[in-house]
Amino acid sequence: LGRGLARRLAPRVRIDDLGRVQLQIGGRAVDGGSMRRKVLALLCFLVTRSGQSATREEVLEALWPDLTPSTALNSLNQTVYFLRRVFEPAFSEDITAGYVGQDGETVWLDRELITTRSQACRDMIRKMPSVPSPDEVVLLAREYSGRFALDFMYEDWASAYRDSLHAAYLRVVEAALRLDTDTGHYARGIEIAELATDVEPDSEDLQVALLRLYRLAGSHAAAAEQYGHYSQTLRELGVEPQPFGAL
């Protein structure tokens, strides 16, 4: 009864896991950098798993591969202890909501209480038809604010989730930009392209798409400035950019 009441009253958690990780726990903001690194790693690892859950062995192999089984298990138990108290400083097995679950075989996040920005983007992409509506793409471009969990940029367990989401996002955005360019919806295309280049500033394709949209919309000063950025990016890579008039 106590657990059920606590769950109904519990503040919902939103994990902003694109870029550097931030948590919003009700009205309380928590910077991922203020958390113990393994605690943040466990949180992000579970986010990458289907259903936000993983077997104990999967967690141990990902986060403590070099420790003996008994030492790794002890580290996992301690990390779960601290993660629970990020959400509920006064955690109690019987009378608090229980954002993080653990039994003999599995560790999980409560999906009713915890949502993530990356999962919201994945759900938006999965629900899109083969030709998504312009409004759907704009919403996705506004929601997708960067690559997943830059705090763990070089961790193998984060790479597949990060790369698949980023590739799916770029696929949708690039198709939408081609469509808006062809159909004359320049203002909408510019918004999508500007948001996308904020996320992927070194992408030649996105920079060229944005430059063309500026020109087609009659924003010549913006097009010239964008060409300067495009040229600089390529020259830093040792590549000579195409002339302005050829784009």
Side-chain angles (χ1 to χ4, degrees):
L1 181 61
R3 170 59 64 86
L5 178 61
R7 287 179 59 78
R8 288 195 294 273
L9 299 177
R12 268 42 184 176
V13 173
R14 167 75 164 179
I15 303 175
D16 189 348
D17 55 356
L18 299 180
R20 292 190 66 252
V21 179
Q22 309 281 328
L23 284 70
Q24 191 69 36
I25 305 172
R28 177 167 60 97
V30 177
D31 188 317
S34 68
M35 298 166 57
R36 296 168 184 250
R37 184 163 178 81
K38 283 297 187 183
V39 173
L40 184 62
L42 176 59
L43 175 65
C44 292
F45 177 76
L46 292 174
V47 167
T48 70
R49 310 302 295 179
S50 176
Q52 297 185 169
S53 66
T55 67
R56 183 177 63 187
E57 286 69 25
E58 287 172 333
V59 178
L60 298 180
E61 178 62 27
L63 302 186
W64 294 279
D66 299 325
L67 299 183
T68 64
S70 61
T71 303
L73 181 57
N74 184 58
S75 296
L76 171 60
N77 291 336
Q78 290 182 1
T79 302
V80 170
Y81 173 91
F82 287 115
L83 179 56
R84 282 171 165 166
R85 282 153 183 81
V86 170
F87 301 119
E88 300 172 296
F91 173 80
S92 168
E93 193 72 44
D94 298 323
I95 61 173
T96 54
Y99 293 82
V100 184
Q102 182 185 29
D103 58 25
E105 299 297 330
T106 314
V107 185
W108 67 92
L109 302 177
D110 192 308
R111 298 176 67 189
E112 293 183 8
L113 300 177
I114 299 174
T115 59
T116 74
R117 184 183 287 266
S118 67
Q119 191 59 55
C121 291
R122 290 176 72 90
D123 289 344
M124 290 170 69
I125 293 170
R126 286 170 176 166
K127 292 175 182 177
M128 286 179 177
S130 56
V131 181
S133 73
D135 289 343
E136 289 175 318
V137 181
V138 170
L139 288 175
L140 174 64
R142 291 173 179 172
E143 184 73 7
Y144 189 85
S145 56
R147 293 175 185 261
F148 171 75
L150 295 185
D151 310 71
F152 303 101
M153 189 66 188
Y154 302 107
E155 298 290 345
D156 291 341
W157 54 261
S159 297
Y161 183 85
R162 178 187 298 115
D163 294 346
S164 66
L165 176 58
H166 194 67
Y169 158 77
L170 290 176
R171 172 180 54 79
V172 171
V173 164
E174 289 168 358
L177 292 179
R178 289 193 295 269
L179 181 61
D180 278 352
T181 299
D182 292 343
T183 58
H185 292 89
Y186 304 137
R188 184 177 61 216
I190 286 171
E191 179 182 1
I192 294 171
E194 287 177 340
L195 291 167
T197 53
D198 284 344
V199 170
E200 193 71 38
D202 296 330
S203 168
E204 181 180 355
D205 290 341
L206 289 175
Q207 289 193 42
V208 170
L210 180 56
L211 190 157
R212 288 173 176 164
L213 284 161
Y214 281 146
R215 292 180 65 182
L216 290 167
S219 300
H220 300 297
E225 183 172 349
Q226 176 60 28
Y227 180 75
H229 179 67
Y230 158 78
S231 301
Q232 180 181 355
T233 300
L234 288 189
R235 289 191 176 109
E236 288 175 352
L237 297 173
V239 178
E240 188 61 27
Q242 298 183 59
F244 182 75
L247 295 172

